[in-house]
C-alpha cells in the first residue's frame, strides 16, 4: 500500500494518476487541511475538495478547484445582497460546503464525512484529512499575520511573506484510518505529491503523528518536485521561495525537505541538477513531470510507483 501526501492542485493531479494505477486497497491519499477556513458561516476545505472532485472527475479543469459545469446564481445573489464575494462559491460546490458544515456541527469527524461524501461522488480510494481537528495555516507578512485564504485569494498572494505558522498543528489528531496506517505495516512507501512545500505539504509535516512517522520510517519516501525549471507550475510557490530566500529550484526543494525524502522525481528540464540532488544523498529519477491531462498524470504515477518499489526492494532506509 502507498500513502500519498497531497495538497492543492498539483497534488490532486498526481493523486488522480496514482488512483488510475493503484487499486483502492493499494492507495490512500492524505490531504492538507491547513487551507481550511470558515466563510459565510461555512467550513470550507479547499484541498480536500480539490482532491475529491478531481478523483471523481467533476472538478473544474481550467482552475483546478471547485466543480466543472458550474453555475453562479448563489454568488450573483450574494453580491446583490452586499455579501462578501471575494471567494467564489459555485452552486454545485456550495452543496458540499453546506453538507460538511452541517455534519461538523453535529459532531461528525471530518474524516468520516470526507469518506461518506467522496463515496457519494463515486470515489473509491480513501481520501483522509491530515487531522480531524482544525489546523489553520497563518501567513506572516510585513503587514501582519493573515489567514491563508485571505493571503491566497482575497489579496492574490501580493503581500511579502516572512513565514508561516500552523495554528492547531501541535495538538492535531490524525484520523483513525490514518493512525491505523501509521501504526500498522501495510504501508510500503510514501509519495509526496508536487504540492507547494510551504503551504500544502508543511502543514502535514507539522502534524506530530505524521512528522514522527516520516522521521522514524522504515519505508521509502519519494517526492515529485513542484518546482520545474525554477518556476512553480501553479500558485505562489516560486514567489514565496524568493521572499523566503530559498533557492527556487528542484535542488532547493530537495535541500528544503532534507532527510525526510529518500528519492526525488525531477523534470527533464532540471536534469542538470541531478548530480547536486544525488550529492545530498538522494536517488533521482528524471522524467516529464508536467501533468496537463489524466494520461500524463497516469504516466507520471506509473514512473513514481516503479521508483517507489525499486527503493522499497533495495531497502532505502
Ligand atoms: N481560489 C481562487 O483563487 N479564487 C477563488 O475564488 C477560489 C474559490 C474556491 C472555492 C472552493 C475551493 O475548494 C477552492 C477555491 N479556491 C479559490 C482555491 C483555493 O483557494 C486553493 O485551491 C487552495 O486553498 C490552495 O491550493
Amino acid at each position: 500500500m502507498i500513502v500519498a501526501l497531497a495538497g492543492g492542485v498539483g497534488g490532486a493531479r498526481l493523486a488522480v494518476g496514482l488512483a488510475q494505477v493503484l487499486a483502492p486497497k493499494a492507495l490512500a491519499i492524505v490531504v492538507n487541511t491547513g487551507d481550511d477556513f470558515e466563510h459565510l458561516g461555512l467550513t470550507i476545505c479547499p484541498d480536500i475538495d480539490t482532491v475529491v472532485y478531481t478523483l471523481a472527475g467533476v472538478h473544474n479543469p481550467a482552475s483546478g478547484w471547485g466543480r466543472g459545469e458550474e453555475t453562479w446564481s448563489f454568488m450573483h445573489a450574494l453580491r446583490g445582497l452586499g455579501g462578501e464575494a471575494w471567494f467564489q462559491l459555485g452552486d454545485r460546490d456550495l452543496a458540499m460546503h453546506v453538507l460538511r458544515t452541517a455534519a461538523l456541527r453535529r459532531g461528525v469527524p471530518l474524516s468520516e464525512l470526507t469518506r461518506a461524501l467522496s463515496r457519494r461522488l463515486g470515489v473509491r480510494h480513501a481520501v483522509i484529512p491530515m487531522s480531524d481537528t482544525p489546523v489553520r495555516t497563518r501567513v506572516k507578512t510585513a503587514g501582519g499575520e493573515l489567514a491563508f485564504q485571505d493571503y491566497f485569494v482575497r489579496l492574490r498572494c501580493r503581500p511579502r511573506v516572512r513565514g508561516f505558522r500552523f495554528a492547531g498543528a501541535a495538538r492535531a489528531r490524525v484520523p483513525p484510518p490514518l493512525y491505523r496506517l501509521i501504526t500498522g505495516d501495510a504501508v510500503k512507501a510514501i509519495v509526496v505529491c508536487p504540492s507547494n512545500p510551504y503551504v500544502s505539504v508543511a502543514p502535514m509535516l507539522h502534524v506530530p503523528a505524521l512528522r514522527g512517522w516520516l522521521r522514524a520510517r522504515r519505508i521509502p519516501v519519494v517526492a515529485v518536485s513542484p518546482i520545474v525549471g525554477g518556476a512553480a507550475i501553479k500558485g505562489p510557490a516560486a514567489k514565496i521561495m524568493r521572499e523566503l530566500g530559498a533557492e527556487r529550484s528542484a535542488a532547493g526543494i530537495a535541500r528544503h525537505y532534507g532527510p525526510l525524502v529518500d528519492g526525488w522525481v525531477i523534470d527533464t528540464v532540471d536534469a542538470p541538477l541531478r548530480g547536486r540532488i544525488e550529492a545530498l544523498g538522494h536517488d533521482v529519477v528524471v522524467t516529464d513531470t508536467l501533468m496537463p491531462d489524466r494520461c500524463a498524470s497516469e504516466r507520471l504515477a506509473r514512473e513514481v510507483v516503479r521508483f517507489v518499489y525499486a527503493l522499497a526492494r533495495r531497502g532505502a532506509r
Side-chain angles (χ1 to χ4, degrees):
M1 176 165 216
I2 285 177
V3 162
L5 303 185
V9 175
R13 288 202 177 128
L14 182 59
V16 82
L18 290 167
Q20 286 171 275
V21 171
L22 298 167
K25 63 184 182 317
L27 170 69
I29 298 149
V30 176
V31 187
N32 169 42
T33 61
D35 294 6
D36 297 3
F37 74 133
E38 278 62 41
H39 182 60
L40 300 172
L42 296 168
T43 297
I44 294 172
C45 304
D47 281 356
I48 291 177
D49 293 348
T50 295
V51 169
V52 168
Y53 289 158
T54 307
L55 286 176
V58 297
H59 64 297
N60 176 329
S63 61
W65 50 264
R67 288 190 64 155
E69 284 142 49
E70 192 55 279
T71 53
W72 303 93
S73 303
F74 165 75
M75 285 307 296
H76 185 69
L78 181 71
R79 259 184 229 98
L81 292 171
E84 273 189 277
W86 56 271
F87 196 79
Q88 303 298 309
L89 292 168
D91 299 331
R92 287 179 173 78
D93 188 29
L94 200 51
M96 177 69 87
H97 308 308
V98 168
L99 283 177
R100 172 169 32 233
T101 302
L104 287 171
R105 281 213 187 105
R106 292 197 309 274
V108 178
L110 180 60
S111 54
E112 253 181 62
L113 68 97
T114 300
R115 190 183 52 76
L117 292 170
S118 57
R119 288 271 184 289
R120 289 301 297 260
L121 284 170
V123 176
R124 294 169 52 241
H125 289 81
V127 177
I128 311 173
M130 71 187 197
S131 168
D132 267 336
T133 53
V135 177
R136 295 285 181 270
T137 297
R138 309 284 299 172
V139 186
K140 298 175 187 171
T141 75
E145 198 176 83
L146 293 168
F148 179 77
Q149 297 299 341
D150 277 319
Y151 163 75
F152 187 81
V153 179
R154 189 167 59 78
L155 300 173
R156 301 202 178 291
C157 307
R158 274 195 300 269
R160 283 182 56 77
V161 169
R162 292 205 166 143
F164 299 95
R165 76 181 175 90
F166 307 107
R171 60 182 176 279
R173 272 202 356 267
V174 293
L178 179 50
Y179 186 72
R180 281 195 291 276
L181 292 176
I182 291 173
T183 53
D185 58 7
V187 180
K188 301 304 176 206
I190 297 165
V191 172
V192 181
C193 296
S195 305
N196 184 315
Y198 295 91
V199 293
S200 299
V201 178
M204 293 190 267
L205 301 184
H206 277 73
V207 171
L210 274 176
R211 185 173 60 244
W213 187 34
L214 266 79
R215 286 215 166 129
R217 70 186 184 279
R218 293 180 311 285
I219 54 177
V221 173
V222 165
V224 177
S225 175
I227 299 285
V228 173
I233 302 305
K234 292 275 294 184
K239 176 178 183 286
I240 289 172
M241 293 179 83
R242 188 168 47 246
E243 290 164 357
L244 293 181
E247 181 191 339
R248 294 194 323 281
S249 74
I253 289 277
R255 197 192 331 287
H256 173 76
Y257 281 105
L260 280 183
V261 170
D262 299 297
W264 277 97
V265 179
I266 66 174
D267 195 83
T268 38
V269 300
D270 293 316
L273 297 173
R274 175 188 202 127
R276 282 182 55 197
I277 299 171
E278 286 174 333
L280 295 171
H282 303 299
D283 288 86
V284 179
V285 161
V286 179
T287 187
D288 179 2
T289 61
L290 301 185
M291 296 178 277
D293 54 38
R294 281 173 87 97
C295 174
S297 293
E298 180 174 343
R299 187 193 45 69
L300 178 58
R302 283 193 193 289
E303 292 215 52
V304 170
V305 170
R306 219 181 352 262
F307 186 25
V308 150
Y309 283 125
L311 290 183
R313 273 196 301 278
R314 208 194 60 193
R317 297 301 303 160

